[in-house]
Amino acid sequence: MARRRDALRSLGLAAALTVVAGTIGVALLALTLRSLDQAAGGASLGLGSPYLWRVIGFTLLQAGLSTALAVALGVPVALALARRPAFPGRSALLALFAVPLALPALVAVLGIVVVFGANGWLGRLAAALGLGPPPSIYGLSGILIAHVFFNLPLVARLALAELERIPGESWRLAAELGLTRLGVLRFIEGPVLVAVLPGIAGLVAMLCVASFTVVLTLGGGPRATTVEVAVYQALRFDFAPALAVRLALAQIAICAVLVALLGRLATPEAVGWGPGRRIMRLDGRGRAGLIGDHLVIWLAAAFVLLPLLSVVTAGLGAPIGRLVADPEFLRALATSLLVAVSAGLLSLAIAWPILEVRARLGARRDGRQAARRLLEQVLSLSIVVPPVVVRAGWFVLLLPLGDPARFAPAIVVALNAIMALPFVARVLGPALEAHLNRHDRLAASLGIEGLDRLRLVDWPVLRRPVLLALVMAGLVSLGDLGAIALFGSDRLTTLPFLLYQRMGSYRTNDAAGIALLLLAAALAITLLSGQLGRERRR
Amino acid sequence: MRSAFISARFLALILAGLAMLCGVAPAARAAETLTIYTYESFVADWGPGPKIKAAFEAECGCSIEWVAVADGVALLNRLKLEGRGTRADIVLGLDNNLVAEARGTGLFAPHGVDTTRLSLPMSWTDPLFLPFDYAHFAVIYDSERLKDPPKSLHDLVEGDATEKIILEDPRTSTPGLGFLLWMKAVFHDEAGAAWTKLGRRVLTVTPGWSEAYGLFTKGEAPMVLSYITSPAYHEIEEKSERYKAALFEEGHYIQIEVAGLVAGTAHEVLARRFLSFMTGPGFQDQIPTGNWMFPAGRVSSAMPAAFGSVGAPGRTFIFDPEIVAAKRQEWTAEWLDAVTR
C-alpha cells in the first residue's frame, strides 16, 4: 500500500512539474528557435551592455526596497490584527486587503495618484491647511508607494494566517509565565515569523521584480526601467524574440539567486504547529498596547483603503447601469470569472503534489534539502517568467495549427495558474506541512486512507487554507491582463482587457466604471469565501 | 459525499465553459471572405470597423473578417512571425514609421491606387502602402490650469519647470516614438541638449498612451503628448472645451496610417476593390468620429467643426521611413543618454 502511495505521489509531482516546465520551457524554446532577430535588433540591449546592467541594478534596487518596506510595515499590522481578534470591522478589512491582488496595475496607479499625486487628496488637504505642496511622488518614492500598496496587505494577510495557527496552549503558557511583549515576540511570534517571512518576502520581491506599468508610469522617467521593460521592448519595436528570451532567462536566473539566498534564512523546523482550538489571547491588554495596535491597523487601513476609495468614487461617476446592461460587459465578466476559477483550481492542482512532496522531504533529515530547495524554486520563480514571452512562444508554436487565438483560453488559464503558484505555495505550504507533521502518521497507523482520509482528516483542517489559496490565485488571475496580446488577438475579452480597451479610446469614464465593478467582484469573491471558510460552530 | 458530487458538477460546468471559450470555427459562409488584419480599437464597438464592414459588405456581396491585434506595431510583428503563411489579404493600420520594416518583409504587393487624389498635408507616393487617415502629434493642455500654453517646441523645452508634461516612452509606445522624431526633426544635432532641458518639465514617461492620458485627465499635469485631434473627442463626445491642442510654430510631426495588399492573396480582386473603397466616403466618413483621425480620402460631408478649431500646423514633419528604420535605435539611445544623465 505504502509503495503504491509513494508511486502515486511521484506521478503527481512529475505531472505538476511537467505542466509548469512544459508551459514555460516549450514556449521559450519555440521563440528562440524561430530566431527572427534582425541584425540591428536590440544592439543596445545585448547581454552585458552597460544599459542592461543599469536596468538590472535598478530592478534589484526598487524590488529590494519595496520588499523591505512592505515586510517592515506589513508585519506590525499582522501582529496587531492577531492580537485583536475583536477589532471592529476586522473581517471586512481583511477582505478589502485581498482586493489589490485583483487590481490591474493601471487602475491601482490611477487610484494612488488621486490620493498621493500632484493634484491628489493629500496635496489638496495640505494646501487647505496652509502647508506647501507635498513632495512629488514621481520617481522611486512613487514606485515604492505603489508596491507597498500592493504588498503590505499581502504580507499582513499571509503573516496573520500563520500567526493565527499558533496553538492556544502557547498563549496560556505565555500568560502563566508572565511574558512581556518582547518575550512574546521573541519566544512565540518570532519563530513563526522567522519561518515564513523569507518565503513571503521572496514572493513580494518576485512581484516587484516583474513590475512593469507601475515602474514606468510612476518612475518619472527612463532611469526607472526594469528588466521586464527591456523584455517588452525587445519583443515590440526591436522585434528580437531570441533576445527577449535571453533577457527573460537572465531575469529568472537573478531571481533564482534571490530565492536561494532567502531560502537559507528560512528555518523549516519552526513550522510545526497545527491549528489549535479556538484561541484566546491574554496578552496586550494594556492601554498603551491597545492604542498602539489600533493606530497601526488604522494607518495601514487608510493607506490601502484610500486609493481603493478613489477607484470607487471615480467609478460612481460612470454610467454603471449602461455598463452592466452591455452584453459585452457581461460576456467579459463571465469570461473573467471562468478564467479565474479555472486558473485557481489548476493552480491548486499543480501546487498540491509539489507542496506535499516538499513537506515530506522537509520532515526527513537525510540530505533531501537540495530537492526541497529545487521545489521551492519552482514554486517561487514561475511569477518572474515574463508572460508576454510565454504567450509569444505559444503563438509561434500554434501558428501552423491555424489561428492561434483559438487556443488563447487554454494558454491564458495555464499561464495564470502558473503565475498564481507562489501565492498558493505561501498560503497552503505551511498549513499542509504542519498538518502532515501532526496527523500523517496517526492517520496511517489508524489505516485511514483514500477518500475517507481526505474527508475525515485532511479537509476539516485544510479547508480554510485551501479556500484562501484558491481565492488568492483566482484574484491574481482576475486582475491579469492576459499578457497583452502582442502578436495575436485573443477573442478572449476579460474585464481588464475591456478596461484597457476603453482607456485606450478616451473612454476613461467607462474604464472607471469597469474598474469599480472589477473591485466589487473581487470583494464579493473574498467575502463569499470568508463565509465558506468560517469554522462551523459546534 | 454530497459536496463531492456538487463539486464534480461544478467542474464539469467549468470545463464546458472553457470548451465554449475555445470556440468552434464559425459556420461555413457561402460568399467570398476578405480577411483584414487590423488593430483592436479600429474594430471596437465604437470604432469605425463595424460600420465600414457593413458598408463594404452591402456593395460587394462578400464578407469581411477582421483579425485584430493590439496595435500597429503588433500588426507588423504578427506578419513577421507568419511570413508567407499569413491568412491576411489586407493589412490595415501600420503607420509611416513602420513602413520601411513592413516593406522589408517582402509580403506586400503594389496597391495600384492613384495617390494624387488623397487629401494629405504632404505628398505620398509609396507604391505599397496606401494611407487611410492621419493626425499630427500635439501637446494637449488643460485650459483651466494653463493660461499661457507653449507656442513652440522651443517654448516647451525652455518653459516653466513647475508646469509639467506627461510623455510616452519611445521604447514602448507609438506616440513616444513620434515625439522623439519630432524633437529630432526640430532640434537636429541639438536634440540631446533639448531633451536634457525638457527633462525638468517632464512629470513622468509612461509605457503607453493610455497611462499618460489617464494621468492627464486625473489632473496630474497640465500637459500631455497626444494627437491634435484629441480635443475634438472631448468637444463632440463630452461637450467639453477644457482640453485644447497647442499649435507649435515650428510645425508638427505626423502619423499617417496605411493599409497594404498582401502579395499572392487568393482574393486579390476583392482586396483591390476594398483598397479603392477605402479612399471613398463609405470608409472615410467613419474615420473622424470613429477613429478620431483626419480622413485621408474623400468624405461625403464637411468635417465636424471641432476638428478645425485649433487650425492646421504650418509645417508637417515626416522622416523618410528608411531613415526611421535605420536611426531609431541610435536616436533612442541619444534620448536615453540625455534624460538619464
Side-chain angles (χ1 to χ4, degrees), chain B residues 36 45 79 86 106 124 143 148 156 163-164 250 265 290 319 325:
Chain B
I36 304 178
D45 280 352
L79 279 180
T86 184
W124 182 273
S143 63
D148 188 23
L156 180 73
E163 288 167 347
K164 301 285 186 189
E250 298 97 339
T265 158
F319 280 112

Coordinates of all heavy atoms in Angstrom, one line a residue, chain B residues 36 45 79 86 106 124 143 148 156 163-164 250 265 290 319 325:
Chain B
I36 N -9.0 40.8 -43.1 CA -8.2 42.1 -42.9 C -7.6 42.1 -41.5 O -8.4 42.0 -40.5 CB -9.1 43.3 -43.1 CG1 -9.8 43.3 -44.5 CG2 -8.3 44.6 -42.9 CD1 -10.7 44.4 -44.7
D45 N -16.6 48.3 -30.7 CA -18.0 48.7 -31.0 C -18.1 50.1 -31.5 O -18.9 50.5 -32.3 CB -18.8 48.6 -29.7 CG -19.2 47.1 -29.5 OD1 -19.0 46.3 -30.4 OD2 -19.7 46.8 -28.4
L79 N 2.9 39.8 -38.7 CA 3.2 39.5 -40.1 C 4.6 38.8 -40.2 O 4.8 37.9 -40.9 CB 3.2 40.8 -40.9 CG 1.8 41.2 -41.3 CD1 1.9 42.5 -42.1 CD2 1.1 40.1 -42.1
T86 N 0.8 33.8 -44.0 CA -0.3 34.7 -43.3 C -1.6 34.5 -44.0 O -1.7 34.2 -45.2 CB 0.1 36.1 -43.4 OG1 -0.9 36.9 -42.7 CG2 0.2 36.7 -44.8
G106 N 8.8 41.8 -47.5 CA 8.5 41.3 -48.9 C 7.2 40.7 -49.0 O 6.9 40.0 -50.0
W124 N 2.3 61.8 -51.0 CA 2.6 60.4 -50.7 C 2.6 59.6 -51.9 O 1.7 59.6 -52.7 CB 1.4 59.9 -49.8 CG 1.7 58.5 -49.3 CD1 1.3 57.4 -49.9 CD2 2.3 58.1 -48.1 NE1 1.7 56.3 -49.2 CE2 2.3 56.7 -48.1 CE3 2.9 58.8 -47.0 CZ2 2.9 56.0 -47.1 CZ3 3.5 58.1 -46.0 CH2 3.5 56.7 -46.0
S143 N -6.9 73.8 -20.3 CA -7.1 75.3 -20.4 C -7.5 75.9 -19.1 O -7.4 77.1 -18.9 CB -8.0 75.7 -21.5 OG -9.3 75.2 -21.2
D148 N -1.3 80.1 -20.3 CA -0.3 80.5 -21.3 C 0.4 79.3 -21.9 O 1.6 79.1 -21.5 CB 0.6 81.5 -20.6 CG 1.6 82.2 -21.7 OD1 1.2 82.2 -22.9 OD2 2.7 82.6 -21.2
L156 N 8.3 75.0 -25.2 CA 8.0 73.8 -24.3 C 9.3 73.4 -23.6 O 9.3 73.2 -22.4 CB 7.5 72.6 -25.2 CG 7.2 71.4 -24.4 CD1 5.9 71.6 -23.5 CD2 7.1 70.2 -25.3
E163 N 5.4 73.8 -14.5 CA 4.3 73.3 -15.4 C 4.7 72.1 -16.1 O 5.5 72.1 -17.0 CB 3.8 74.4 -16.3 CG 3.1 75.5 -15.6 CD 2.9 76.8 -16.5 OE1 3.6 76.8 -17.6 OE2 2.2 77.6 -16.1
K164 N 4.2 70.9 -15.7 CA 4.7 69.6 -16.2 C 4.0 69.1 -17.4 O 2.9 69.4 -17.7 CB 4.6 68.6 -15.1 CG 5.4 69.0 -13.8 CD 6.9 68.8 -13.9 CE 7.6 69.1 -12.6 NZ 9.0 69.1 -12.7
E250 N 7.0 75.8 -35.0 CA 8.0 75.0 -35.9 C 7.2 74.1 -36.9 O 7.7 73.8 -37.9 CB 8.9 74.2 -35.1 CG 9.8 75.0 -34.2 CD 9.3 75.0 -32.8 OE1 8.1 74.8 -32.6 OE2 10.1 75.3 -31.8
T265 N -2.3 37.0 -52.6 CA -3.6 36.6 -51.9 C -4.5 36.0 -53.0 O -4.6 36.4 -54.1 CB -4.3 37.8 -51.3 OG1 -5.7 37.5 -51.1 CG2 -4.2 39.1 -52.1
G290 N -15.0 58.1 -35.6 CA -14.8 56.7 -35.2 C -13.4 56.4 -34.8 O -13.2 55.8 -33.7
F319 N 9.9 62.0 -41.3 CA 11.2 61.4 -41.8 C 10.9 60.3 -42.8 O 9.8 59.7 -42.7 CB 12.0 60.8 -40.6 CG 12.7 61.8 -39.8 CD1 12.3 62.1 -38.5 CD2 13.8 62.5 -40.3 CE1 13.0 63.0 -37.7 CE2 14.5 63.4 -39.6 CZ 14.1 63.6 -38.3
A325 N 13.8 53.7 -39.8 CA 14.3 52.3 -39.5 C 15.7 52.2 -39.2 O 16.2 51.5 -38.3 CB 13.9 51.4 -40.7

